[in-house]
Amino acid sequence: MNAISPYYKVRQCCHVAVPIPVGNGTVYATALTDSHSGTNSTELGIFFDPQWKSASHIPEISIIVDWPDLGVLPLYEYRTLAYTGKMMLERFKRMSIGCIGAHGRTGTYLAGLLIVCENLSAKEAIVETRRRLCSRCIESQKQINLIHSLAKHK
């Protein structure tokens, strides 16, 4: 019998520099597990796991956030990151984002960007994140609650 990691039995998608339109810019989402294939050559990036520090294809100007897998950030940090991303997109028109699998934290961040950049409701941002990036995005109820909190307190 072939021994396959349980992770690979579940995971059936690959995210390498997936271009996602946000406002007047483009966000490129990459999973660290897929980054060996390279990331898009953007000048800026926000990454949601400390393991990105050792990635070989990280943009020169990057923010590395220690955001727990399946978890959330405090609302003020999440809001700050969303508005930082909005400013980056307004100025440079493109940026990279990613976590380990580009689903939970990356999807939660993307939903926040859609709220502040496109003035979407939380529900619309969640639907659009899953449509634009991956149907598996936003993995926990805590992440959904954080998105709703941002929409209420943006």
Side-chain angles (χ1 to χ4, degrees):
M1 184 170 160
N2 187 1
I4 298 175
S5 163
Y7 180 77
Y8 290 106
K9 286 181 182 177
V10 172
R11 189 157 186 262
Q12 297 173 359
C13 50
C14 177
H15 303 296
V16 179
V18 177
I20 304 154
V22 176
N24 292 324
T26 303
V27 172
Y28 295 87
T30 297
L32 182 62
T33 53
D34 299 323
S35 67
H36 61 276
S37 302
T39 59
N40 191 39
S41 58
T42 62
E43 299 83 12
L44 307 163
I46 301 179
F47 301 96
F48 314 109
D49 196 285
Q51 292 182 55
W52 273 97
K53 290 178 186 175
S54 59
S56 60
H57 295 92
I58 191 166
E60 187 174 328
I61 302 169
S62 293
I63 298 169
I64 308 286
V65 180
D66 191 0
W67 181 339
D69 194 19
L70 299 173
V72 295
L73 297 172
L75 177 59
Y76 70 91
E77 287 182 26
Y78 180 58
R79 183 186 313 118
T80 299
L81 281 174
Y83 280 100
T84 298
K86 179 181 180 182
M87 289 186 300
M88 291 167 79
L89 282 174
E90 287 171 351
R91 172 86 193 262
F92 298 100
K93 304 298 182 208
R94 50 191 238 146
M95 65 184 244
S96 297
I97 62 173
C99 59
I100 298 297
H103 288 133
R105 295 166 286 181
T106 301
T108 302
Y109 181 71
L110 179 58
L113 271 180
L114 292 170
I115 289 167
V116 301
C117 292
E118 297 184 8
N119 203 30
L120 298 184
S121 70
K123 184 176 179 179
E124 292 168 328
I126 291 167
V127 168
E128 281 301 305
T129 295
R130 290 174 173 161
R131 185 183 71 78
R132 295 182 197 189
L133 177 55
C134 182
S135 63
R136 296 178 177 191
C137 282
I138 309 162
E139 297 175 317
S140 73
Q141 187 60 49
K142 286 181 182 179
Q143 291 171 342
I144 291 169
N145 294 345
L146 180 62
I147 295 164
H148 281 275
S149 293
L150 177 63
K152 289 179 191 170
H153 304 288
K154 61 179 180 177

